Amino acid sequence: MTAIPRQKPVFRFAPSPNGPLHLGHALSAFLNRDMAASAGARFLLRIEDIDLTRCTPEFEAGIYADLEWLAIDWERPVRRQSEHFAEYQSALDRLVDLGLAYPAFMTRGEIKTRVAAAEANGTPWPRDPDGSPLYPPDDRQRADFDRRQLLASGVKHAWRLDMSKALEAVGEALFWEETGYGDRGTIAANPGAWGDVVLSRSDAPSSYHVSVVLDDALQGITHVVRGLDLFHSTSVHRLLQTLLGLPAPVYHHHRLITDEDGRKLSKSRSDTGLCELRDRGLSPADIRHLVGL
Ligand code: GLU
């Protein structure tokens, strides 16, 4: 009998080049690399640069330099999301064709005003797991004629998922396998908590949620290792994977490195930036130690 060759597991580290890497990224990169090595897996680096205004070639070069300094090696070529907008667009087109997405015309300012007006009457506006207000229902409820006219007039718009219709289309409870730091085992997804999530923005032809699920599938990612701040986003990812017929990786959400006030590190703080720490004479071993490995 011929043995069927077993596919190697595939891990990925997927930073966005919108600022310098900090200790939190170092933890994520080390964990990905270490877990991949102990599983005999492939390890990929993906550059998540769909935000064309905030991502720069300098920050991207910084990612390569920092990882090389940490002696973390990855497979080439690197997938850069900005080179794959057409693929994300076809995923969006499928959701539009299924009648599960609608054009969303409200600006950030309009959403804020709408929410503030509702809350002034004493009714708290529903919020997503990150604390942002859910997208108001106005555009979802818009008449087709009105929608077509607005689109034809060239008004800037995003595309959003019609969450209720999407949940109805799936018609069953969704789960994911979690091996990470908080809750473990089979986790029940709750995509509804996010409301009508954005699928593409007026200033970026995709969204984090669409591009991440598509790339994880296209690159055959079997294990997603990333920070706990993305734990709840996994609910949206499981929904999109199901709607688009994509496989689900195993998820491992790791602890976050926080500042002295317990807040998640931000890319604007230079004192935890890897480049800054390297210039101050710290070694890669010191960085491992600092992130608790
Ligand atoms: N690009 C995301 C970030 O830099 C990570 C996405 C992911 O690992 O799923 O926060």
Side-chain angles (χ1 to χ4, degrees), residues 93-169:
D93 290 346
R94 277 180 63 193
L95 296 171
V96 173
D97 290 347
L98 289 167
L100 301 179
Y102 64 85
F105 301 97
M106 284 174 110
T107 62
R108 276 205 186 110
E110 284 166 346
I111 301 171
K112 236 174 145 178
T113 312
R114 176 88 163 76
V115 170
E119 292 196 326
N121 296 334
T123 332
W125 192 269
R127 311 237 154 201
D128 71 22
D130 283 348
S132 300
L134 299 195
Y135 192 69
D138 311 48
D139 285 324
R140 186 194 333 124
Q141 292 164 349
R142 206 175 273 287
D144 264 356
F145 174 75
D146 198 9
R147 203 172 264 170
R148 274 199 297 273
Q149 266 202 332
L150 279 167
L151 286 177
S153 71
V155 185
K156 276 177 98 173
H157 60 280
W159 285 87
R160 286 187 174 263
L161 187 71
D162 185 325
M163 184 55 79
S164 316
K165 280 195 191 161
L167 292 175
E168 212 176 294

Side-chain angles (χ1 to χ4, degrees), residues 12 14-16 25 48 208 212 224-226 230 237 267:
R12 78 345 182 240
S16 298
H25 296 101
E48 300 212 326
Y208 162 60
V212 83
V224 169
V225 177
R226 61 185 179 194
L230 292 169
H237 300 170
K267 284 190 172 163

Side-chain angles (χ1 to χ4, degrees), residues 20 28 30 49 207 222 271:
S28 215
F30 278 135
D49 58 349
S207 72
T222 56
D271 56 340

